Amino acid sequence: MKRLAPLLATVGLVATSLPLLTAPQAAAAQTPVHLRQKPAWHRCSPDRPAAYECATLKVPLDYQHPEGRTLDLAISRMKSENPAKRRGVLLFNPGGPGASGLFRPMVLNAEMPKDVRDQYDLIGFDPRGVGKSSPVTCGGLSHAEEGVGGAYRPETFASDVAWARGIADKCREKSGDVLPHITTRNTARDLDVIREALGERKISYLGYSYGTYLGTVYSQMFPQRTDRFVLDSGVDPQRVWRGMMQVWATGAEPAFARWTRWAAERSDRYGLGTTPEEVSATFWDLVARADRDPIVHDGETYTGDGLRADPSLFSSPYGASAVVRFLKALADTGHPPAGGGAPDLKQLLEGARTSDPKAPVLSTAAAGPEAASEFGDNGTAAYWSVVCGDTDAWPRDPDQYARDAQRDKAKHPLYGDFASNIKPCAFWQAPVEPPTPMKNRADVLTVQNEWDLITPLASGQGLHKALKGSRMVLALGGEKHGVYLSDPVSCADATVNTYLATGRLPAADVTCQNPPPLP
C-alpha cells in the first residue's frame, strides 16, 4: 500500500487539475465517432452541374463493434434553391440490391414539380458495398457466374449446384470478412448515419423496388426518425428473398395471358395467332422447337429455356410489339419480318433499364440472367450479400431446390423452375442477425402499378398490409416497374406529389385509372 500511495496521490492531482466537462461536451464525448462526423461537400465532377455535390462518410463495418473497421459511404446532394420553403432532406434509392443511387439527385431535380422540389435537399448515395461505397467483389466472376441461375433440368442440376457453390466459395474467399455485413439492416443504419451527419431530426425518402424494402426496414428500426416516405413498386417483407423470386413466376402467368390477348387482337399485323390460345401455342411450339434445335438469329443462339428466361418481355412497356416481331422472326426460321428487322433479344432485356435513365433499376434476378451480367462482379457480389444475408429462410439441402423447381415448373411453366432452382444462398454463411419484424406503425405511402411484373400487385399489397398505418395508391392499367416520375402518364403522381408537399396521407387507399396504352 505504501508503494501505491504516491501513485494514488499523483492520480488525484491530475484528476483535480483537469477541466470539468459541460453536459453537452460529456454527451458528445460518449457519442460514437461515426455519429459525430460532418460531410466535406465538394463538386462531384467538372462535367456535372456545380450544384451536384459529393462527400464521403465513414460507417462501421459491424455496428456491433462501431469502434472497429469502417467502410466508405459515398453520398451526394442537390440543395433546395428555396431555403424559405425547405423542410429537410429526401433520400433516394433506385432499387437493386446492388444498384448505385449516387447520381439520382440530378434526375429528381429535373423531374420533380417545383412545389415539391423546393422543400428538400435531394440526397443520393451508393449503398454499402456498391459503386463508390467500399465496393465488394467476388474476385472477377465469369459471364455465366454473374447471372442468377437458369432453368431446372435433371440432367444439368449437378452443374447448377456446382455453379451456386462456386459463387459462394469465391465470394467467401475474396470478401468473406465484409460480405456478412452487406445487409439491408446495416444499410438502414447507414441511412441514419447520413441523417445525423446532415444534422436532421428526421429523413424523408423515396425508394423503388428493393428500395421499398430498405425504406420499410428503416421505418421499423427508426420509427421516430421516419418522415415522409414513398415506397414505390413494393417488395413484400414476408417474401424476402426467395419468395420474391418465386412471386415473379406466379405473376408471369397472368401477364403472359394478357400478352397473348394483345397479340391475338393484332393478328393481322403480327401473325402469331387469331386467338389467345393460338398465340400461346405458337410461343410454346417455338420453345419446344428451340429446345430440340437451338435457333440462330442475328448471330445469337436461342434455346427454349432462353425464351422463357425473362417473363418481363411479355409486359407491354418492355416492348410487346417488339417481342411479337422478334418471336415472329424466330418462328420464320430467323428471317426478319417484312417492314423492319426483328430486335435483338438482349436489347429487349436491357431496354427498360437503358432507354430511361430515371427508371428504377430492376433487380438483377428479375431481369434474367442476361440482364444480371450488366451489374458485373461488384453488383453481383452486393446482390447475393443482401439476398442471402438478410434471411436464413434459404434451404440448405440442394435436393429441396430440385423438388421445388420441378413442382413450380408444373404450376408456372413460364418461369417457375427459374425462380425456385438452386442459388448461391444454399451455401452462404448464416446471417449475422434475423430479418426485421414488422411491428411499428408506419404512416407511409405505398405506390403500385396493377400490371408490374417485377414487383407484382400481390407483392405491393403484401407491403401495404405489413405496414400498419400506410396508405396505398394503385394505378389501374399501370404496367411499368416503377410508378412515380417513371411512367409519364401515371395517374398516381398527383397523390404522391400532394403527400410529399404536405405530409398528409390520403384518408383512405386510392385507386386511379391510367389512360389506355397506345394501340
Side-chain angles (χ1 to χ4, degrees):
M1 284 295 295
K2 290 182 179 179
R3 289 184 178 180
L4 291 177
L7 176 61
L8 293 172
T10 303
V11 171
L13 288 172
V14 172
T16 55
S17 66
L18 290 174
L20 295 176
L21 296 177
T22 65
Q25 289 173 329
Q30 295 175 358
T31 302
V33 173
H34 66 275
L35 294 179
R36 285 188 272 139
Q37 58 191 319
K38 297 299 178 185
W41 295 108
H42 57 86
R43 186 170 181 174
C44 294
S45 172
D47 61 347
R48 300 290 190 180
Y52 173 52
E53 299 177 295
C54 289
T56 301
L57 302 175
K58 297 288 185 180
V59 293
L61 170 67
D62 181 356
Y63 277 91
Q64 297 301 311
H65 302 283
E67 73 288 346
R69 182 176 172 182
T70 62
L71 301 175
D72 288 342
L73 190 67
I75 63 175
S76 62
R77 76 173 177 184
M78 294 192 77
K79 297 173 68 175
S80 167
E81 296 180 354
N82 192 337
K85 291 188 176 181
R86 181 189 180 278
R87 173 181 176 81
V89 295
L90 179 71
L91 277 68
F92 181 85
N93 181 272
S100 167
L102 201 61
F103 71 93
R104 295 289 171 155
M106 290 188 295
V107 176
L108 292 180
N109 182 64
E111 297 294 331
M112 273 186 160
K114 191 175 188 306
D115 62 330
V116 177
R117 171 68 188 92
D118 283 348
Q119 297 195 34
Y120 301 99
D121 292 347
L122 303 177
I123 307 297
F125 66 99
D126 279 352
R128 60 168 47 209
V130 174
K132 294 185 178 181
S133 293
S134 296
V136 292
T137 177
C138 292
L141 300 176
S142 68
H143 178 78
E145 288 172 321
E146 287 174 358
V148 294
Y152 170 80
R153 291 183 178 276
E155 63 271 22
T156 59
F157 185 65
S159 64
D160 295 341
V161 173
W163 166 85
R165 189 191 301 273
I167 291 174
D169 289 346
K170 280 188 175 183
C171 294
R172 188 179 301 112
E173 177 183 356
K174 200 67 179 179
S175 304
D177 55 341
V178 176
L179 296 184
H181 304 288
I182 308 299
T183 63
T184 300
R185 285 180 61 85
N186 277 336
T187 301
R189 295 178 176 111
D190 294 343
L191 295 187
D192 208 54
V193 172
I194 297 174
R195 177 199 61 77
E196 187 71 24
L198 296 177
E200 298 290 334
R201 189 172 62 88
K202 293 184 175 184
I203 61 171
S204 294
Y205 176 86
L206 171 61
Y208 292 88
S209 196
Y210 165 73
T212 66
Y213 185 60
L214 174 58
T216 296
V217 170
Y218 185 91
S219 77
Q220 299 302 299
M221 294 178 68
F222 304 99
Q224 302 305 316
R225 299 167 191 171
T226 299
D227 197 8
R228 301 173 184 177
F229 270 46
V230 176
L231 307 180
D232 188 317
S233 307
V235 168
D236 183 348
Q238 305 304 322
R239 297 177 186 262
V240 295
W241 281 109
R242 193 177 187 222
M244 278 305 302
M245 293 185 182
Q246 291 169 329
V247 80
W248 299 325
T250 59
E253 300 301 324
F256 179 74
R258 184 167 173 260
W259 174 81
T260 61
R261 293 194 296 271
W262 186 94
E265 290 168 357
R266 295 156 180 81
S267 61
D268 58 338
R269 189 184 313 173
Y270 301 119
L272 294 179
T274 59
T275 66
E277 293 76 15
E278 288 181 358
V279 173
S280 177
T282 298
F283 173 78
W284 287 110
D285 287 348
L286 189 61
V287 167
R289 174 183 144 202
D291 274 337
R292 293 190 305 269
D293 184 16
I295 301 170
V296 178
H297 177 71
D298 284 351
E300 296 286 340
T301 301
Y302 300 103
T303 65
D305 288 342
L307 295 177
R308 296 191 297 119
D310 189 62
S312 67
L313 291 175
F314 301 103
S315 182
S316 65
Y318 293 86
S321 62
V323 172
V324 292
R325 287 190 291 115
F326 175 82
L327 293 176
K328 183 66 167 63
L330 293 188
D332 291 342
T333 323
H335 295 292
D344 176 80
L345 180 58
K346 183 176 178 61
Q347 179 183 352
L348 290 173
L349 287 166
E350 303 295 345
R353 189 180 327 198
T354 57
S355 63
D356 185 358
K358 63 181 181 291
V361 174
L362 310 185
S363 160
T364 55
E370 293 88 350
S373 65
E374 181 187 271
F375 280 69
D377 175 77
N378 170 230
T380 303
Y383 177 82
W384 290 122
S385 297
V386 172
V387 168
C388 303
D390 272 358
T391 173
D392 61 357
W394 292 93
R396 297 290 174 174
D397 177 12
D399 290 340
Q400 182 66 53
Y401 291 89
R403 290 191 294 269
D404 292 350
Q406 293 177 69
R407 175 200 66 201
D408 291 343
K409 184 175 185 179
K411 292 166 62 176
H412 309 294
L414 193 62
Y415 198 70
D417 54 326
F418 282 91
S420 294
N421 202 359
I422 195 162
K423 312 297 179 197
C425 302
F427 307 104
W428 215 259
Q429 70 183 69
V432 296
E433 57 182 328
T436 304
M438 299 290 116
K439 295 181 178 179
N440 293 316
R441 181 181 177 88
D443 296 325
V444 305
L445 187 66
T446 69
V447 191
Q448 186 69 35
N449 272 333
E450 180 183 15
W451 290 103
D452 182 353
L453 190 58
I454 309 304
T455 49
L457 179 57
S459 177
Q461 290 170 329
L463 171 63
H464 175 38
K465 181 179 179 181
L467 292 178
K468 308 304 180 186
S470 66
R471 292 287 185 266
M472 183 176 186
V473 184
L474 171 61
L476 295 178
E479 299 170 311
K480 294 191 70 174
H481 179 55
V483 185
Y484 180 62
L485 303 181
S486 297
D487 188 341
V489 298
S490 178
C491 60
D493 280 10
T495 303
V496 177
N497 285 327
T498 298
Y499 170 64
L500 287 175
T502 67
R504 292 192 299 269
L505 284 170
D509 291 346
V510 174
T511 299
C512 61
Q513 179 67 58
N514 270 9
L518 295 174

